[in-house]
Amino acid sequence: MANPHSLLDRRGAIASLGAAGLAACTRPGGPNNLSGLTLRVATFKGGVETLMKAAGQDGKPYRVEAAEFAAGNLITEAIVAGAIDLGSMSEIPPIFVAASKPPMRLIAVLKGDVNSQVVLVPHDSTITRPAELKGKKVGYVRATTAHYLLLKLLEEQGLGFGDITPIALSPQDGRAAFERGSLDAWVSYGVQATAVRATVGARVLTTGLGRLSGNYLYAASPSALKDPLRRAAIVDYLRRVEASYRWSDAYPAAWAELVAKATGVPAALYAQQRRERSAPTRLAPVDTAAVASQQAVADGFARAGVIPARVDVAPLWDKRLNDDLRKLPA
């Protein structure tokens, strides 16, 4: 049996960096040596960083200073504040800061699952159709995919936020409120939503399929991108991210055990989430479709009055790493 803790790509299609890519940056004593560099990276508990050692991607030629965050909107704030160099989030949090022309750039797209984005109702709820959310107390996480999923779902029914009692809560507070019966519905995401289905028998009213793009973004600070060494480290890190996701697809059981150990959530729930996913996660360069997708989301928020006015998201995007990212396997 293949060793799941070996390097993922035996054919050489994925390497942490090609020989020509960072040779000058990793040469001991060379003028471009990365060994003295520290890359400040935002992480999630049980996120891709959890996989890197098992995927053979932990031998970085630079130091990583990881800071754990609970949500993408907090990572967005940290990048804008200059506290980190690199982090990921959905396409939604940057919209809420776009009007201020923030010091952050969107540099890559993680195309992934939308079935883990769900609208849950209690197991004994009489709600069977989205239209029946009218007049109900609905929890969600502000400035996230949950926020936009709720908006899209209401629009489909000819409803708006004024037709429900929307309650913005953190993921943890939302789960607690839902489990104690304080919410009629909860819009959530990830393994927390899967866990609530197991613990209290919550029903999935609907998912993000057909409503969300599945685009999750990597963002960096402009100062990090201007620094040739730090930019080289970012490219290397992103390639390791892609390799780690491919390793998880090759070894799903090992992946589930690793993230379960990191989060304390049973591996069986991660296995369920993977079985139900709409698509695997793949890293891709910035393209016009990704920019257009985020603009459509921003316009939807503006129409609904969630943000005060229409914003142009195009200035947030930066294609300078596209050539490097196109070298990743399809």
Side-chain angles (χ1 to χ4, degrees):
M1 180 180 292
N3 177 7
H5 289 189
S6 64
L7 287 174
L8 168 62
D9 192 281
R10 298 175 186 171
R11 299 165 299 172
I14 303 175
S16 63
L17 271 181
L22 274 190
C25 295
T26 58
R27 186 180 304 118
N32 298 323
N33 182 23
L34 292 181
S35 63
L37 186 145
T38 297
L39 187 66
R40 301 172 301 166
V41 178
T43 66
F44 296 102
K45 183 175 289 187
V48 67
E49 292 77 11
T50 305
L51 315 177
M52 286 188 174
K53 183 175 181 180
Q57 298 300 319
D58 58 334
K60 305 174 186 69
Y62 46 88
R63 180 174 176 268
V64 172
E65 183 180 280
E68 188 176 290
F69 291 81
N73 54 340
L74 301 178
I75 293 176
T76 298
E77 293 171 6
I79 292 177
V80 171
I84 57 174
D85 300 316
L86 180 70
S88 65
M89 69 286 295
S90 78
E91 64 187 340
I92 292 169
I95 291 169
F96 286 77
V97 299
S100 64
K101 304 187 185 308
M104 71 177 298
R105 295 294 179 267
L106 306 176
I107 58 172
V109 182
L110 280 172
K111 299 178 181 293
D113 175 41
V114 294
N115 276 342
S116 62
Q117 312 278 333
V118 295
V119 181
L120 299 177
V121 295
H123 68 93
D124 57 353
S125 173
T126 60
I127 298 172
T128 59
R129 298 179 295 114
E132 294 168 352
L133 292 175
K134 186 175 182 179
K136 304 298 185 182
K137 291 180 291 185
V138 184
Y140 68 100
V141 187
R142 184 184 178 278
T144 67
T145 48
H147 199 166
Y148 188 63
L149 174 54
L150 178 56
L151 173 63
K152 288 287 287 184
L153 193 62
L154 292 172
E155 285 183 341
E156 289 172 9
Q157 311 307 316
L159 303 173
F161 280 97
D163 295 302
I164 64 171
T165 302
I167 304 173
L169 298 164
S170 71
Q172 296 79 8
D173 290 343
R175 177 175 178 176
F178 184 81
E179 288 182 332
R180 67 173 176 262
S182 299
L183 298 174
D184 297 305
W186 182 40
V187 190
S188 188
Y189 44 77
V191 76
Q192 280 212 76
T194 308
V196 169
R197 291 164 60 189
T199 56
V200 298
R203 290 190 290 110
V204 176
L205 182 65
T206 191
T207 76
L209 190 64
R211 300 180 177 100
L212 300 175
S213 67
N215 289 347
Y216 305 88
L217 315 177
Y218 262 99
S221 69
S223 60
L225 293 172
K226 288 177 183 177
D227 179 348
L229 291 184
R230 202 164 295 275
R231 186 168 66 246
I234 288 172
V235 170
D236 176 72
Y237 188 87
L238 292 178
R239 289 178 174 174
R240 292 173 190 272
V241 165
E242 171 69 2
S244 297
Y245 277 121
R246 289 183 181 256
W247 175 88
S248 73
D249 290 338
Y251 303 103
W255 163 80
E257 291 294 338
L258 276 175
V259 292
K261 183 178 180 180
T263 63
V265 175
L269 294 180
Y270 285 106
Q272 177 184 344
Q273 184 179 334
R274 179 168 289 258
R275 287 194 303 271
E276 294 175 348
R277 70 182 182 176
S278 61
T281 300
R282 291 290 179 264
L283 190 69
V286 173
D287 61 15
T288 55
V291 180
S293 172
Q294 190 186 42
Q295 187 64 61
V297 174
D299 291 347
F301 278 134
R303 285 194 305 273
V306 175
I307 56 176
R310 186 182 187 275
V311 295
D312 181 11
V313 302
L316 293 173
W317 292 82
D318 192 313
K319 297 182 178 181
R320 77 181 76 185
L321 302 188
N322 273 11
D323 287 345
D324 292 294
L325 297 178
R326 286 193 185 100
K327 297 172 185 175
L328 296 174

